[in-house]
Amino acid sequence: MSANETNDASAEHNRRDFLYIATGMAGVVGVAGAVWPFIDQLRPDASTLAVAQIDVDLTEVQAGQSITAMWRGKPVFIRNRTEAEIEAARETPLADLPDQLARNENLPADASADDVSRSAGEGRENWLVMVGVCTHLGCVPLSQQGDFGAWFCPCHGSHYDTAGRIRRGPAPENLHIPAYEFISDTVIRIG
């Protein structure tokens, strides 16, 4: 083989490699262009994103009253507890609780279920914000009922205390507390 034939073979080999790579890249771009509409439709729409966070005005909620807000399709119980309700929750020994974890998304996962960890925190112990879904089978507990005068799920008999902690019945966990923050003295943002 002469030097010219070797150079021609090498040039042909390089052209062939380039064509393979270019064809492969064109195929990848074509497939991506065809698949993108299907991937794009999986993103949440504007109405879903709009309820990712809600602001709740608490100015009208007096001590001893509860309101229910809807967040992500679930009820959220917001209660302005009385001093007696706070005291009852504080007096409950943690050893008496079936679930001793706070279940509060605003705190570390291993935070204990003491009253302050279940409430809005120091200085705001009167506020209790919880997802209003029974942790047994997903029913919605009734407010200001049950053996502890707080929440009662009549479906299977779960009783929660004034801090939303399971005290009696089949529910395995305390009512969950969503991520929230006070954005003013009277408005909370959930989510």
Side-chain angles (χ1 to χ4, degrees), residues 77-79 81 85-86 89-90 92 94 97 99-109 111-122 124-135 141 150-151 159-167 172-178 180 182:
F77 298 153
I78 303 168
R79 181 154 181 84
R81 301 185 299 168
E85 291 172 331
I86 294 169
R90 284 183 180 163
T92 304
L94 288 177
L97 301 175
D99 181 12
Q100 297 181 4
L101 295 176
R103 309 282 176 200
N104 186 338
E105 288 187 32
N106 304 293
L107 299 174
S112 70
D114 60 79
D115 184 62
V116 173
S117 295
R118 296 282 304 161
S119 72
E122 293 289 335
R124 291 193 168 121
E125 293 92 347
N126 59 311
W127 292 108
L128 193 61
V129 180
M130 305 172 302
V131 176
V133 176
C134 181
T135 59
W151 289 273
H159 297 260
Y160 297 90
D161 69 7
T162 58
R165 302 173 295 197
I166 184 64
R167 297 293 301 278
E173 297 177 351
N174 299 323
L175 293 175
H176 292 214
I177 298 174
Y180 71 93
F182 277 83

Side-chain angles (χ1 to χ4, degrees), residues 1 15 21 51 68 81 99 109 111 123 137 142 148 150 162 178 180 186:
M1 238 188 187
R15 260 188 251 127
I21 291 171
V51 295
T68 302
R81 301 185 299 168
D99 181 12
L137 291 176
L142 302 174
F148 302 92
T162 58
Y180 71 93
T186 60

